[in-house]
């Protein structure tokens, strides 16, 4: 008999809230974390707004020692450690230092890149013949698995400690990987999530691709417009989301709060065939990812109450909605509610799937559906497919039972998870 898998801890470092209380408040009240970025303006980016977690020096010192912060310059690891340790504590788990590793616990914490600012700093020193002045933490800060290594050490994790990377599907994929490992009986709990560095050296490539919003530099909070007729590209973002994924029996034995259950999901690729490419999704694969996730979860498409979409505020939003209507065979007023966190945070890239999953689980646990900002002018291609009432503009207080969360990434990769309100 397969094990039931639940979520017992949540943590987040998002542009519109660092820590679960602040983040939940922003979700319910439609508070944006998108701000003008003076550095992007100075560097003459087309898009001069971004979503970036606000981290004080005081907060840093709660998670890192003075020695660790010396020469520390990796925003992704910073965000990931803050979110990861919050989720661990939120799950009621100890962070006491023991001699023995915790063999039952591990982490699968994704990342797109790590320590790109540290890389830049190091490259200049190398070019200036100052190799010996690089310091002892350059490798740990710049290796892609730096985030899982930091979390593994801080929490003494003895099970699998690894970092996955699948572009914008990274966070959702990490949660599925954790689910699979626990279902297979190879771990009791996994700290799953993902993180994304912030700053111009991450975001420049997207600005060069002309996929970023440049029309709202003077009104940052209006810049991210998923599903809107006046959407003008995505707003770059960053941050981290973390979830403690746990075997139900283990969670019940220690009296943990259970936020939601994972029924199942699916990860696949369109192989960059058909209408897929390095930057565009193969619609057949997207639909298959959704239908296989539903099948693997043992539910019907009609059981889905809401969708937390990928929906980046590019020209592909209406195609995503079309793919959902075909995969679910539901449209018009029969379509589930749908929302996109990116209207408040921008596109957090490798962190998107995990930050958005935290938002999804909060909605299930606390009985609300957050509204889509900047979507008063719903795109006509979308209203041809689904009823406008299914795209809430303000928070709806509603008990939801099942929410589907999906992420689609560059390289034509897809991930979809089915979350359910927990019942014993």
């Amino acid at each position: 008999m397969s094990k039931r898998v639940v979520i017992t801890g949540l943590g987040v470092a998002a542009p519109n809230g660092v820590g679960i209380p602040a983040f939940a408040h922003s979700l319910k009240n439609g508070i944006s974390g998108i701000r003008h970025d003076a550095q992007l303006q100075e560097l003459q980016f087309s898009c001069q707004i971004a979503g970036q977690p606000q981290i004080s020096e005081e907060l840093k010192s709660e998670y890192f020692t003075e020695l660790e912060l010396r020469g520390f310059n990796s925003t992704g690891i910073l965000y990931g450690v803050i979110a990861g340790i919050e989720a661990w504590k939120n799950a009621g788990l100890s962070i006491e230092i023991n001699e023995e590793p915790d063999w039952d616990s591990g982490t699968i914490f994704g990342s797109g890149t790590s320590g790109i600012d540290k890389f830049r700093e190091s490259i200049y020193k190398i070019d200036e013949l100052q190799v010996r002045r690089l310091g002892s933490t350059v490798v740990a800060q710049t290796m892609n698995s730096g985030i899982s290594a930091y979390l593994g050490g801080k929490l003494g994790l003895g099970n699998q400690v690894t970092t996955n990377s699948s572009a914008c599907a990274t966070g959702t994929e990490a949660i599925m990987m954790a689910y699979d490992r626990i279902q297979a009986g190879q771990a009791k709990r996994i700290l799953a999530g993902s993180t994304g560095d912030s700053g111009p050296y991450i975001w420049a490539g997207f600005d060069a691709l002309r996929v970023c919003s440049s029309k709202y530099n003077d009104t940052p909070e209006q810049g991210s417009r998923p599903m809107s007729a006046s959407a003008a590209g995505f707003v770059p973002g960053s941050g981290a989301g973390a979830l403690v994924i746990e075997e139900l029996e283990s969670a019940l034995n220690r009296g943990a709060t259970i936020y939601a259950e994972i029924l199942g999901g699916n990860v696949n690729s369109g192989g960059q065939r058909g209408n897929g490419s390095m930057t565009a999704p193969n619609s057949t694969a997207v639909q298959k990812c959704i239908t296989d996730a539903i099948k693997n979860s043992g539910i019907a498409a009609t059981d889905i109450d809401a969708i937390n979409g990928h929906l980046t505020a590019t020209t592909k939003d209406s195609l995503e909605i079309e793919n959902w209507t075909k995969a679910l065979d539901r449209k018009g007023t029969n379509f589930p509610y749908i929302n996109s966190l990116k209207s408040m945070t921008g596109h957090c890239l490798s962190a998107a799937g995990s930050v958005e999953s935290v938002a999804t689980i909060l909605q299930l646990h606390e009985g609300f559906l957050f509204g889509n900002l900047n979507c008063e002018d719903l795109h006509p291609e979308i209203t041809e497919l689904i009823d406008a009432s299914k795209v809430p503009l303000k928070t709806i207080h509603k008990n939801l039972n099942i929410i589907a969360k999906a992420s689609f990434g560059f390289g034509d990769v897809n991930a979809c998870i089915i979350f359910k309100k927990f019942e014993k």
Side-chain angles (χ1 to χ4, degrees):
M1 187 175 175
S2 62
K3 297 176 185 294
R4 289 176 69 184
V5 180
V6 295
I7 295 145
T8 56
L10 299 172
V12 73
N16 65 338
V18 177
I20 293 299
F23 183 59
H25 175 77
S26 290
L27 293 181
K28 292 171 186 173
N29 293 281
I31 298 171
S32 173
I34 296 168
R35 304 168 184 87
H36 182 260
D37 190 309
Q39 189 180 18
L40 299 185
Q41 182 179 3
E42 185 183 329
L43 293 170
Q44 298 181 11
F45 275 51
S46 297
C47 176
Q48 298 170 6
I49 58 176
Q52 191 169 340
Q54 304 296 289
I55 311 286
S56 67
E57 293 301 317
E58 186 182 3
L59 186 62
K60 284 183 192 178
S61 66
E62 290 180 25
Y63 293 88
F64 294 88
T65 66
E66 191 178 330
L67 184 61
E68 285 175 322
L69 288 172
R70 196 175 300 162
F72 185 83
N73 195 13
S74 173
T75 51
I77 291 174
L78 173 68
Y79 305 147
V81 166
I82 290 172
I85 291 180
E86 183 190 22
W88 198 254
K89 288 180 176 178
N90 183 254
L93 296 164
S94 171
I95 57 169
E96 290 177 10
I97 304 298
N98 299 311
E99 284 301 309
E100 280 280 299
D102 178 354
W103 305 116
D104 293 323
S105 304
T107 185
I108 299 172
F109 218 94
S111 175
T113 56
S114 184
I116 198 160
D117 286 313
K118 192 67 181 176
F119 256 125
R120 179 177 182 270
E121 177 189 313
S122 301
I123 287 165
Y124 277 117
K125 283 184 178 176
I126 293 164
D127 288 347
E128 291 165 6
L129 311 180
Q130 296 178 359
V131 174
R132 291 178 185 173
R133 295 186 61 189
L134 288 179
S136 60
T137 63
V138 168
V139 175
Q141 288 186 57
T142 57
M143 65 186 188
N144 209 44
S145 58
I147 178 55
S148 55
Y150 267 84
L151 285 168
K154 286 182 177 291
L155 300 173
L157 305 177
N159 205 280
Q160 182 177 5
V161 170
T162 194
T163 293
N164 66 303
S165 189
S166 292
C168 309
T170 296
T172 309
E173 180 187 71
I175 298 165
M176 276 306 302
M177 290 171 73
Y179 168 84
D180 288 341
R181 187 165 180 83
I182 292 166
Q183 263 220 323
Q186 294 183 306
K188 284 189 178 176
R189 69 193 63 82
I190 297 284
L191 176 61
S194 63
T195 189
D197 278 48
S198 60
Y201 306 107
I202 291 288
W203 300 330
F206 298 103
D207 200 73
L209 278 173
R210 300 183 184 276
V211 293
C212 293
S213 174
S214 60
K215 295 181 179 178
Y216 298 90
N217 289 338
D218 296 329
T219 52
E221 293 182 2
Q222 296 175 28
S224 187
R225 312 180 68 82
M227 297 184 283
S228 162
S230 51
F234 77 76
V235 173
S238 56
L243 305 84
V244 175
I245 315 293
E246 190 162 1
E247 178 190 294
L248 176 60
E249 186 180 352
S250 167
L252 293 175
N253 286 344
R254 57 184 198 85
T257 297
I258 295 175
Y259 289 97
E261 181 171 3
I262 301 175
L263 294 183
N266 187 245
V267 174
N268 79 359
S269 171
Q272 299 174 44
R273 299 296 190 265
N275 61 347
S277 69
M278 186 63 76
T279 59
N282 176 337
S283 293
T284 304
V286 168
Q287 292 167 35
K288 180 174 171 54
C289 185
I290 295 164
T291 55
D292 285 353
I294 291 167
K295 183 180 176 182
N296 295 345
S297 301
I299 63 167
T302 50
D303 294 328
I304 294 172
D305 299 312
I307 297 162
N308 183 256
H310 187 61
L311 298 167
T312 58
T314 62
T315 55
K316 298 296 179 184
D317 284 4
S318 55
L319 177 60
E320 181 179 335
I321 299 291
E322 182 182 349
N323 286 329
W324 279 105
T325 62
K326 289 180 177 177
L328 301 181
D329 193 24
R330 296 173 65 182
K331 58 185 181 179
T333 55
N334 185 39
F335 194 77
Y337 289 104
I338 188 162
N339 58 13
S340 172
L341 182 68
K342 293 180 181 73
S343 64
M344 298 186 216
T345 61
H347 188 351
C348 295
L349 304 173
S350 56
S354 59
V355 174
E356 291 164 15
S357 289
V358 170
T360 301
I361 291 154
L362 285 170
Q363 291 178 110
L364 272 179
H365 185 64
E366 298 190 19
F368 72 97
L369 196 73
F370 67 79
N372 297 277
L373 301 189
N374 307 318
C375 197
E376 295 79 8
D377 58 337
L378 193 58
H379 200 290
E381 289 178 8
I382 292 173
T383 53
E384 285 178 16
L385 296 164
I386 65 173
D387 194 79
S389 65
K390 297 301 178 176
V391 185
L393 303 181
K394 292 186 178 178
T395 297
I396 298 172
H397 294 282
K398 190 175 184 68
N399 282 323
L400 304 157
N401 190 42
I402 293 177
I403 304 182
K405 166 72 206 136
S407 299
F408 312 115
F410 273 21
D412 200 7
V413 292
N414 312 304
C416 180
I417 300 185
I418 308 297
F419 295 115
K420 184 180 185 296
K421 193 177 182 73
F422 177 69
E423 296 170 359
K424 282 191 180 179

